[in-house]
Amino acid sequence: MSRTADSDLAHLFHPYTNLVKHPETGPLVITRGQGVRVYDEAGKDYIEGLAGLWCTALGWGEERLVEAAARQMRELPFYHLFSSRTHPPAVQLAEMLAARVPIDDARVLFACSGSESNDTAIKLIWYRNNALGRPDKKKIIARERAYHGVTVATASLTGLVNNQRSFDVPIDRIVHTGCPHYWRYGEKGESEEQFATRRAEELEKLILAEGPETVAAFFAEPVMGAGGVIVPPATYFAKIQAVLKKYDVLLVADEVITGFGRTGAMFGCDTFGIRPDMMSVAKGLSSGYLPISALIVSGEVFGPIAEEAGRIGVFGHGFTYGGHPVSAAVAVETLKIYAERDILGHVARVGPVLQRGLAELQQHPLVGEARGAGLIGAVELVADKDSRTAFDPKLAVGAKVVAKAQGHGVILRAMGDAVAFAPPLIISEAEILDMLGRFRRALDEAHGELVGAGAV
C-alpha cells in the first residue's frame, strides 16, 4: 500500500463508506484525469461512468475552466454578497441562470452544494408562509427513494433509509409519498398512465389527510438519482402538478443531478414538462471543478420574502462562500462552453447510444430493468427476471458488480442493486460502447459466481 493510502487510513473520515471495512480494502487513489478517464496512482485508467459524482460534465482537463479560475484568483480571489456587496462573476452567473430556467422573474441565491440549496429552500418556504400570515402551512412532501441532501433538514426530505438510520431524522413537518417507479411498484394489469394517476391520487389523499392548510411544498427530482435513476412514468408530472396547484402547494425541482444537459435538455424540467416555483442546481453548474450551487426562485416566491425581510430589517440567511467569485467565474465559463460546443446537441446524438446499450443489457440474466434518459441511466439487478424478485440485500450484489466493473476499468455506482451510469456529457459513441462492454464483462463474471453459489 502506498504512503498516500496509508495516510488516508490514518487520517481521513470518508463519506458514504463502510468505515469498518475501509481499512481492510484500502482506498482507490486517483491522481489525475483527462477527458472521460481518471487514473490511479499506478497509472491504470478508468472510464468514469458516473462523472465523479454525477457532476464532471465537461470531463477532466478542461483548460478553459482552469484559466477562468486562475484569472479570477488574480483579480478578486474572494468577496462576498452580504450587506448589499456584489461582484461581476456572481451577477453575470445569476443573469445567465435566470435566462435559462423555466421560472418567471427568477431570482438566484448562491450556496456551495445541493444540500445547502435544498436546505435553504425549506427555510424560505417557511419564511414566506410566515410572511403571508400562514404559520401552519409548513409541511413539506418528498418521495420515497428521493435524494435531496444530507443536512438535518434535507436528510429528512431524502427517502433513503441509510441517510436516516441513527441520525435522528426525519424531523417533523416532513412527510413522504410514493416513489414513481412503475416497473417496481406498478400493480398487475396497471398501465403506466394508470400508475401515474394512482400516484397523483395518493398525493392528493396525503394532502387532504395532513390538511391542505398545513402543506407548503413538494420536492421532486425530474429523474430520481441516488434512489436508483428512476424515470417518471408518462403523464406523471402533469398529474402531480395539477394536484399541487389545486391546493396551493409550491413545487421545488431538485435539478442538482439533472441540470445542464444530463437528460438531453438544459434541465430535467424541460424534458418532463415541469414548471417549478423553485429550483436547486449544483454539480454541472461548474462541471464539478469548484463548489457552487444555486437556489432559483420565482418572483412570486421572492416578493413576500423580500417584504418580510424589509419588516424585520435584514434577510438573516446566507453562506460565506455563496457566490464565491472564483467558483462563479468557473460556472460562467462552464455555461459558455455548454452553448458554444452545443453540448445539448451532442447529448441528443450520443444519448440514444447509451440508452440502446442499456436496453440490450436487459437481456442479461441478472438485469431486470434498464432505464434512463439522455446520458443518465441504470440497470436493476434481480435474482429472478420473471418475478422481478430482488436479491437478498446481504448479498450486496450491486456493490459486487460495481467492484468487478472497477477491475475492468470502469467506475460506476451501486444504489442497492441498481447500477447507475452518468458519464461526462462529452463522452463519445466509441467510449460509451467501451464502457458498456467493460460492464458486460463484469456482469458475466458476477453471474457465474452467483450461479455457482446458488443465488440465482
Side-chain angles (χ1 to χ4, degrees), residues 142-170:
R143 300 178 297 177
E144 296 165 358
R145 294 178 65 177
Y147 183 86
H148 297 294
V150 294
T151 65
V152 171
T154 59
S156 298
L157 288 179
T158 292
L160 299 169
V161 64
N162 285 338
N163 293 104
Q164 298 183 343
R165 290 165 65 179
S166 296
F167 287 115
D168 284 3
V169 295

Side-chain angles (χ1 to χ4, degrees), residues 12-36:
L12 264 180
F13 191 150
H14 281 267
Y16 280 88
T17 299
N18 185 317
L19 300 177
V20 172
K21 289 186 177 180
H22 178 63
E24 300 171 8
T25 59
L28 173 65
V29 181
I30 298 297
T31 58
R32 68 184 182 93
Q34 187 63 44
V36 302

